[in-house]
Amino acid sequence: MSLLVVGSMAFDSIKSPFGEVEKVVGGSATYFSLAASYLAQVRLVSVVGKDFPQEIIGMLSSRSIDTRGLKIADGETFRWKGYYEYDLNTAHTVATELNVFRDFAPVLPEEYRTSPYLFLGNIDPRLQMDILAQVQRPKLVALDTMNYWIENSPGPLREAIGKSDIVIFNESEIREISGEYNLVRAARKVMGWGPARVVIKRGEYGVLHLSDGTMFAAPAYPLETIFDPTGAGDSFAGGFMGYLASRDGSELSEMDYRLATMYGSAIASFAVEAFSTDRLQNLSPADIAERVDAFRALTEFQV
Ligand code: AMP
């Protein structure tokens, strides 16, 4: 079933202990769409400048991602510059240039308005609210954000969280937004604002997934080679939402949410093996299924 995503498309400049790249393709919607495209029909809403490579848009379309909601505007594409130290779980932002996002007022194509699954990716919470106002109530709305928006736009962000069913935050974000250090208490607080589920991304320590009365913890896959953690969070969200959308509208069970968490973790584990979207572009369904199986073996035990 269709999965609508709004988020950033970007040029990233990234330094990690393993190398440095300038002006590579990134953005929350780019990683999310690619990851989700292995499991669901993705509809993309974003904006890029005329400087954005046409072949990347072609590559997204070739993966059956619907790009009718992608605007190509006069001006420059959004840019993010950041670095990682040996703690790859923490991205340090050096610069954020909104560029074409400053004046972006998305108008959803008519067919997009009834999309049953919606992911409000990391972007200005006012845009997230704008999209919410244009869709008929989807079956499921999930939201992600970043410290930049927690600090610059707390009011609209809190409003958008209140209208979401699931939030997918990393651990520093949920601590900052809730004012609670303990992750279980932080999740309870956020659930008090509206969402029924909270998914906390903990980088190389995996994912903690909570709802009222349930808790599920998944490890991250222990990789030998990690080049660039950028996009891991959005790739996780793409795999997670893609799996839920692939359930074809059936009532979602706790086990569906758990399996969605494992699909998200499997796809994210590929994303970090290369800089930019290089590895995500070239997966096969068999690669993903094998990694989900490897996760099962990693955590299986008997008493
Ligand atoms: P993550 O999956 O959390 O590693 O997200 C990485 C992507 O987020 C990068 O490719 C950046 O282009 C994008 N990004 C960074 N800062 C922002 C921001 N303030 N708003 C939207 N997207 C951003």
Side-chain angles (χ1 to χ4, degrees), residues 8 10 12 26-28 31 78 80 96 122-123 146 148-149 229-234:
S8 57
D12 291 342
S28 55
Y31 283 107
F78 177 96
W80 179 72
T96 303
N122 173 26
I123 198 56
M146 199 166 169
Y148 184 89
W149 303 111
T230 310
D234 296 301

Side-chain angles (χ1 to χ4, degrees), residues 33-276:
S33 304
L34 273 172
S37 70
Y38 291 94
L39 298 159
Q41 203 67 47
V42 180
R43 294 168 167 173
L44 172 65
V45 178
S46 194
V47 62
V48 292
K50 295 230 159 79
D51 54 352
F52 197 79
Q54 191 57 48
E55 58 270 25
I56 297 292
I57 300 173
M59 180 273 291
L60 296 175
S61 302
S62 75
R63 292 219 40 80
S64 298
I65 295 166
D66 186 339
T67 55
R68 279 174 298 170
L70 171 61
K71 186 172 174 197
I72 301 173
D74 274 329
E76 285 183 52
T77 298
F78 177 96
R79 291 189 74 154
W80 179 72
K81 183 171 184 176
Y83 67 92
Y84 301 87
E85 292 175 334
Y86 274 102
D87 169 13
L88 294 177
N89 294 342
T90 310
H92 302 277
T93 293
V94 176
T96 303
E97 295 170 24
L98 296 178
N99 299 332
V100 287
F101 266 103
R102 215 175 285 285
D103 302 316
F104 182 45
V107 179
L108 290 191
E110 204 49 48
E111 311 74 42
Y112 278 32
R113 294 174 194 253
T114 50
S115 304
Y117 297 86
L118 171 59
F119 182 66
L120 302 169
N122 173 26
I123 198 56
D124 189 331
R126 278 170 283 248
L127 281 180
Q128 295 177 322
M129 289 296 294
D130 201 357
I131 298 297
L132 273 170
Q134 293 182 53
V135 291
Q136 287 173 26
R137 174 73 202 160
K139 275 186 203 306
L140 197 73
V141 178
L143 173 143
D144 185 14
T145 194
M146 199 166 169
N147 49 359
Y148 184 89
W149 303 111
I150 298 172
E151 287 149 27
N152 291 302
S153 236
L157 178 57
R158 183 70 179 267
E159 212 179 323
I161 292 173
K163 291 188 185 314
S164 300
D165 303 298
I166 308 181
V167 291
I168 305 179
F169 292 155
N170 71 30
E171 58 186 332
S172 64
E173 289 155 5
I174 197 163
R175 284 180 171 136
E176 187 172 357
I177 211 162
S178 67
E180 294 278 358
Y181 183 81
N182 178 284
L183 294 178
V184 179
R185 289 171 68 102
R188 298 257 168 270
K189 191 157 176 186
V190 172
M191 285 192 273
W193 300 339
R197 285 179 183 270
V198 170
V199 180
I200 305 174
K201 297 168 286 180
R202 306 185 60 227
E204 64 179 310
Y205 306 113
V207 176
L208 187 59
H209 180 148
L210 298 102
S211 71
D212 189 18
T214 70
M215 263 203 262
F216 177 58
Y221 195 72
L223 294 167
E224 273 190 51
T225 339
I226 300 180
F227 272 104
D228 173 19
T230 310
D234 296 301
S235 307
F236 170 85
F240 178 85
M241 288 297 285
Y243 179 78
L244 295 179
S246 77
R247 301 297 294 143
D248 269 344
S250 55
E251 195 65 40
L252 295 170
S253 66
E254 177 62 22
M255 211 38 80
D256 285 321
Y257 284 106
R258 290 184 174 205
L259 206 42
T261 303
M262 300 323 299
Y263 271 88
S265 303
I267 297 182
S269 74
F270 289 112
V272 301
E273 287 180 335
F275 275 103
S276 187

